[in-house]
Amino acid sequence: MPIDAHLLLLDKDQVERLMQPADVMEAVREAFVLHSDREGRVFPVVREALATGGIFGIKSGDVPSQGLLGFKAAGFWPDNRKRGGEPHQATVMLMDPATGRPLCVIDGNAITTLRTGAAGAWGLKTLARADSASVCVFGAGVQAAIQLRFALDHLPALEKVRYVTYDGQPNPQFESAFSACCDMSLAMDKNDAVATSDIVITATPGAGALFDAQALQAGTHLNCVGADTQGKRELPDGVLARVTLVVDDREQAKRIGETQWAPSTPSVELGDLLTGKETFHRQPTDITLFDMTGLALQDLTVARMLYQRALAGRMGSSIPWPW
């Protein structure tokens, strides 16, 4: 690398212009496959509470055969809402594995949102009943919206949506984003919404059980997003014992995912299902659960796509970054 090397910066607007959902789906699938084949490594996650009230984390990994190395520094700062900002914050850095030099710094909020939505879609496509027509969504924020958007895009039979908010009040902005493409309404009873839905999506801060265990019926699929830190949970006791459990990373799910509450539960990694290393033939009464903790490889494959597109299109801000 020459002494006059440069560092590329991609801000939020540039990332959003470069990123298309279909391409993110493929990049996320590649991440699952790389993880299954053990070509990509996922390093131990850092996830720590701060004195400021925020939670700071680092997810990192590499793909040696592809020269891909990097990390995402991210977390959750709830007080940002009082400042008029987004509580979720993320920054991705790609690095040259041969020299350790940074190549690109990317606003990671949109990456996190879309890659998590895409991961959820792969869970649904792989595990949910193909005729699933109804969904119950816990949450009405950014992640709940992207999970629902990908679900509607990839499950053609899905048409009825019931959503649950933390205060039981309707969210007009959330409803208006989807009311034109589905039958959407606020759930009056969370347990009834779970019991009458083919799919349950939980996308909350993970402060505690969201519904009663007995509400969960045979044949349901769950995508669980909110448990991403030790101590977080969205499911009541007893659910994991009833499900076919699928995770993105087995050890990570035991540390910070929903699986932490029953770590001895047998599980399969989604990447192994996508590669055919493991098989699952859903029966009508099976309850399936995808415990989503987020793979660093997902951030890196999406970031690499953005970096390559930005270079080809001469986008971003290139600043001197000499040795």
Side-chain angles (χ1 to χ4, degrees), residues 138 164 189-196 210-216:
F138 283 86
V164 181
D189 184 310
K190 60 186 181 181
N191 286 322
D192 179 68
V194 169
T196 57
L210 298 172
F211 56 89
D212 296 335
Q214 61 267 28
L216 188 60

Side-chain angles (χ1 to χ4, degrees), residues 43-232:
F43 304 147
V45 172
V46 173
R47 194 78 174 169
E48 298 292 340
L50 304 176
T52 61
I55 296 175
F56 174 70
I58 296 175
K59 289 183 175 178
S60 57
D62 72 348
V63 184
S65 64
Q66 297 182 2
L68 181 59
L69 171 68
F71 65 87
K72 180 175 74 176
F76 186 74
W77 284 263
D79 287 347
N80 283 3
R81 292 193 181 98
K82 301 174 185 176
R83 303 180 175 96
E86 167 58 45
H88 291 93
Q89 292 296 315
T91 303
V92 178
M93 178 180 286
L94 297 179
M95 306 179 73
D96 180 356
T99 65
R101 298 287 296 171
L103 300 173
C104 187
V105 175
I106 311 174
D107 182 284
N109 283 9
I111 291 176
T112 301
T113 298
L114 261 73
R115 68 86 154 143
T116 310
W122 282 114
L124 293 174
K125 286 164 66 71
T126 308
L127 300 167
R129 299 196 329 265
D131 64 348
S132 295
S134 57
V135 58
C136 171
V137 181
F138 283 86
V142 171
Q143 194 50 236
I146 200 65
Q147 291 293 324
L148 181 55
R149 173 58 60 197
F150 272 88
L152 291 167
D153 287 346
H154 290 275
L155 293 179
L158 202 60
E159 58 183 11
K160 183 177 181 179
V161 178
R162 298 293 175 263
Y163 73 100
V164 181
T165 58
Y166 73 96
D167 58 2
Q169 298 300 306
N171 186 312
Q173 183 178 359
F174 188 64
E175 288 191 23
S176 65
F178 298 100
S179 56
C181 61
C182 61
D183 171 10
M184 182 160 195
S185 63
L186 179 71
M188 295 295 102
D189 184 310
K190 60 186 181 181
N191 286 322
D192 179 68
V194 169
T196 57
S197 295
D198 300 316
I199 294 169
V200 176
I201 296 173
T202 61
T204 75
L210 298 172
F211 56 89
D212 296 335
Q214 61 267 28
L216 188 60
Q217 301 298 305
T220 306
H221 171 73
L222 301 96
N223 265 9
C224 298
V225 185
D228 59 1
T229 305
Q230 288 184 359
K232 282 190 175 186

Side-chain angles (χ1 to χ4, degrees), residues 5 35 303 308:
H35 187 50
Q308 291 172 343

